[in-house]
């Protein structure tokens, strides 16, 4: 349902295009981990709409605070999303939930950076270093990691709360271009540090492709 909602709402805020490294344009296979870059509070709508276009309804790991929003919390639970309690002993349970989702054949969506960057500008920037949870999950389950790079979301919403609100209110007039690129799946091996670096490299490559599709020269 969340994918359908994102697909219905997003066209009012931006113009989304999607590409994949798969010649057939196929989406991530069941039981895959989709690793995406995180740039803005608009990311979930962009990513979910892109995956929905490819016929994929992922289970996402999301900040536990979202469950305190009554209607949204019920939707997240209904969709099987996994709450992440950052800085809390319960944080480890998120990986248990993700393992169970993968075992049942669901696709799991993770933002490797774990948080939105504290930046005021609306430009593109390379993904920041990843946390270790993504690599831990991939190494523990053997699931392939599908890198997803998205660009343009910060043109909808970025910066301070005031600027974010202004961006959301003016997005239907501006309708900025958005692009999501899904790369080829990778198998993570080695220790957690090496696997984390490999996942970051793959997502960064996908992000560069997405940014280039918008006519931007991705910063190094």
């Amino acid at each position: 349902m969340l994918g359908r909602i994102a697909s219905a709402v997003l066209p009012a805020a931006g113009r989304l295009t999607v590409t994949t490294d798969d010649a057939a344009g196929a989406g991530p296979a069941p039981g895959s981990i989709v690793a995406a870059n995180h740039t803005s509070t608009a990311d979930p709508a962009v990513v979910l709409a892109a995956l929905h276009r490819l016929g994929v309804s992922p289970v996402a790991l999301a900040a536990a605070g979202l469950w305190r929003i009554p209607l949204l919390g019920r939707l997240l639970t209904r969709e099987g999303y996994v709450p992440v309690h950052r800085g809390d002993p319960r944080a480890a349970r998120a990986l248990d939930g993700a393992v169970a989702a993968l075992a049942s054949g669901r696709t799991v969506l993770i933002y490797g950076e774990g948080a939105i960057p504290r930046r005021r500008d609306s430009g593109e920037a390379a993904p920041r270093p990843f946390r270790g949870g993504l690599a831990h999950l991939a190494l523990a389950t053997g699931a392939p990691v599908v890198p997803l790079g998205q660009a343009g979301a910060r043109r909808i919403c970025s910066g301070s709360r005031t600027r974010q609100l202004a961006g959301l209110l003016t997005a239907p007039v501006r309708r900025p271009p958005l692009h999501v690129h899904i790369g080829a799946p990778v198998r993570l091996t080695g220790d957690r540090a090496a696997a984390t670096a490999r996942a970051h490299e793959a997502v960064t490559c996908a992000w560069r492709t997405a940014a280039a599709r918008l006519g931007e020269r991705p910063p190094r």
Side-chain angles (χ1 to χ4, degrees), residues 2-20 42-55 148-156 171 174-182 210-211 213-214:
L2 289 172
R4 291 196 298 272
I5 292 173
S7 294
V9 173
L10 188 63
R15 293 168 285 128
L16 175 65
T17 51
V18 182
T19 54
T20 75
D43 289 356
V46 175
V47 172
L48 289 177
L51 291 174
H52 183 262
R53 188 175 295 185
L54 298 173
L148 184 153
Q150 62 85 21
R154 290 186 66 80
R155 298 178 181 182
I156 295 178
R174 297 180 289 111
R175 295 192 70 239
L178 314 164
H179 191 82
V180 168
H181 181 76
I182 298 176
R213 287 278 182 164
L214 296 184

Side-chain angles (χ1 to χ4, degrees), residues 14-134:
R15 293 168 285 128
L16 175 65
T17 51
V18 182
T19 54
T20 75
D21 278 347
D22 188 307
S32 300
I33 302 170
V34 175
N37 62 310
H38 207 3
T39 65
S40 162
T41 53
D43 289 356
V46 175
V47 172
L48 289 177
L51 291 174
H52 183 262
R53 188 175 295 185
L54 298 173
V56 178
S57 298
V59 168
L61 273 66
L66 295 175
W67 271 257
R68 292 196 292 268
I69 304 173
L71 178 58
L72 179 59
R74 288 196 294 271
L75 280 174
L76 294 175
T77 298
R78 173 179 171 175
E79 296 290 306
Y81 280 37
V82 179
V84 179
H85 298 269
R86 295 193 182 98
D88 185 291
R90 293 174 293 175
R93 298 179 189 172
L95 290 180
D96 293 336
V99 169
L102 289 169
S104 68
R106 297 292 301 274
T107 299
V108 171
L109 170 63
I110 295 181
Y111 291 100
E113 296 154 276
I116 299 170
R118 296 179 179 274
R119 294 170 43 218
R120 293 185 175 274
D121 65 283
S122 60
E124 293 297 320
R128 291 161 300 133
F130 282 5
R131 298 183 180 183
L134 167 61

Side-chain angles (χ1 to χ4, degrees), residues 187-216:
R187 295 279 182 177
L188 301 186
T189 57
D191 59 24
R192 189 184 300 189
T196 298
R198 177 70 183 93
H200 182 269
E201 178 186 18
V203 174
T204 299
C205 182
W207 163 77
R208 290 189 185 282
T209 299
R213 287 278 182 164
L214 296 184
E216 294 199 10

